[in-house]
Amino acid sequence: MPGITEEWKIFRDGQQLEYFIKISGFENKMQTWRPGREVWSKVFCHGESEFSVDIYPNGNEKRNKKHISVYLVNRNDWDVKVHVNFSIGRHYRKEYHKIGANSSMGWERFCEHQDILADTALDAEGKLTTTVTISAIWEEVICDGKVTKKLLEETKEDVEDLKSEITDLKKEIKSLTSKTESGRKETKKMLPETQNELACLRSEVADLKDNMKTLLSQLKSLGNTSARVS
């Protein structure tokens, strides 16, 4: 949580992760924060899985007031099984637990306020350090979750691109339709003129046919005259 926590991690033997969360002003938060208000850590990874920690300085709900509640959150779309150790000062809890996808496990009454104030859990500045140790993690195999998320993101992008292309196509179709309608109107305007031109051409063709008949008749008459003279 920016401005409230300092966080760091250590990997041991490549299998065990220790994650440290130092919370500033924790003593004041125990006394003034309402139940249900939490401090959450940054997201951290172990194996292929992502986790975070939720800490409630004055309990996760009203009935747990004056207690500290702590939870490990599975931020994945698959189940995990973990050995998890939580420690705050001299208070220590250990659990082997299956955490469902996008769920959490923890303790609503990890320890009481009076226990924290009585031991050395708080430093001179009123800061509290919580340590979470995760080991022996089993991850449910569905498919590569990161690949799936990436594919989903790419698919969403492809869908958006297709939507954009469809929008552009609709605009082009609308434009073509408009041009077609305009073309039809122009054609209708030109049709009478074209029909008049066709009528003129037909008349001219008819005149040419008549002229040809006349010429043929004249040629025939000239032929007959020549025959008689000879």
Side-chain angles (χ1 to χ4, degrees):
M1 199 171 202
I4 295 179
T5 63
E6 301 171 44
E7 303 175 35
W8 62 98
K9 61 185 176 182
I10 299 173
F11 279 102
R12 301 186 186 279
D13 302 324
Q15 298 294 321
Q16 189 178 78
L17 168 68
E18 286 187 65
Y19 199 83
F20 302 88
I21 307 163
K22 181 177 281 190
I23 305 169
S24 62
F26 197 84
E27 184 174 2
N28 180 61
K29 290 176 176 59
M30 288 193 301
Q31 297 169 359
T32 61
W33 278 23
R34 60 172 174 76
R37 184 178 178 185
E38 82 270 33
V39 176
W40 60 88
S41 75
K42 298 173 184 175
V43 176
F44 55 91
C45 296
H46 191 318
E48 294 296 320
S49 298
E50 294 183 343
F51 301 91
S52 64
V53 175
D54 289 347
I55 302 169
Y56 298 81
N58 199 19
N60 63 326
E61 53 185 272
K62 203 167 185 177
R63 65 187 180 87
N64 297 318
K65 189 175 181 180
K66 295 189 181 299
H67 289 79
I68 297 173
S69 304
V70 295
Y71 294 91
L72 177 67
V73 182
N74 173 16
R75 301 176 66 92
N76 307 287
D77 295 327
W78 55 85
D79 297 347
V80 295
K81 294 180 181 179
V82 294
H83 283 294
V84 58
N85 304 334
F86 266 98
S87 65
I88 299 176
R90 290 181 290 180
H91 304 279
Y92 180 87
R93 298 286 185 96
K94 183 177 181 180
E95 185 80 29
Y96 171 68
H97 201 87
K98 177 180 178 180
I99 313 175
N102 299 299
S103 300
S104 62
M105 61 78 59
W107 296 269
E108 58 184 19
R109 294 191 173 192
F110 186 86
C111 58
E112 294 185 55
H113 287 179
Q114 62 185 20
D115 296 329
I116 293 296
L117 295 171
D119 64 23
T120 58
L122 295 170
D123 64 15
E125 297 176 345
K127 295 181 179 180
L128 178 84
T129 299
T130 300
T131 305
V132 184
T133 304
I134 300 174
S135 59
I137 180 170
W138 284 263
E139 299 165 309
E140 182 183 13
V141 178
I142 300 174
C143 61
D144 191 328
K146 292 183 179 178
V147 171
T148 302
K149 287 182 180 178
K150 187 178 179 181
L151 286 173
L152 283 172
E153 289 171 1
E154 290 176 353
T155 302
K156 286 179 181 177
E157 289 177 3
D158 290 340
V159 169
E160 291 302 318
D161 289 340
L162 285 172
K163 285 181 179 178
S164 179
E165 288 179 16
I166 289 169
T167 301
D168 291 340
L169 284 171
K170 284 181 177 179
K171 287 179 181 178
E172 287 182 20
I173 290 168
K174 189 175 180 180
S175 176
L176 287 171
T177 302
S178 177
K179 288 179 181 178
T180 303
E181 289 299 322
S182 177
R184 285 177 181 170
K185 290 177 182 178
E186 290 295 324
T187 303
K188 285 181 181 180
K189 287 180 182 179
M190 293 172 64
L191 191 57
E193 296 176 4
T194 306
Q195 287 175 337
N196 289 334
E197 288 178 2
L198 283 171
C200 291
L201 286 171
R202 284 175 184 148
S203 178
E204 289 176 7
V205 168
D207 290 342
L208 286 170
K209 284 181 178 179
D210 289 341
N211 290 337
M212 286 181 69
K213 284 180 182 179
T214 302
L215 286 171
L216 287 171
S217 178
Q218 289 175 351
L219 285 170
K220 187 176 180 182
S221 177
L222 286 170
N224 290 336
T225 303
S226 298
R228 284 198 298 272
V229 171
S230 59

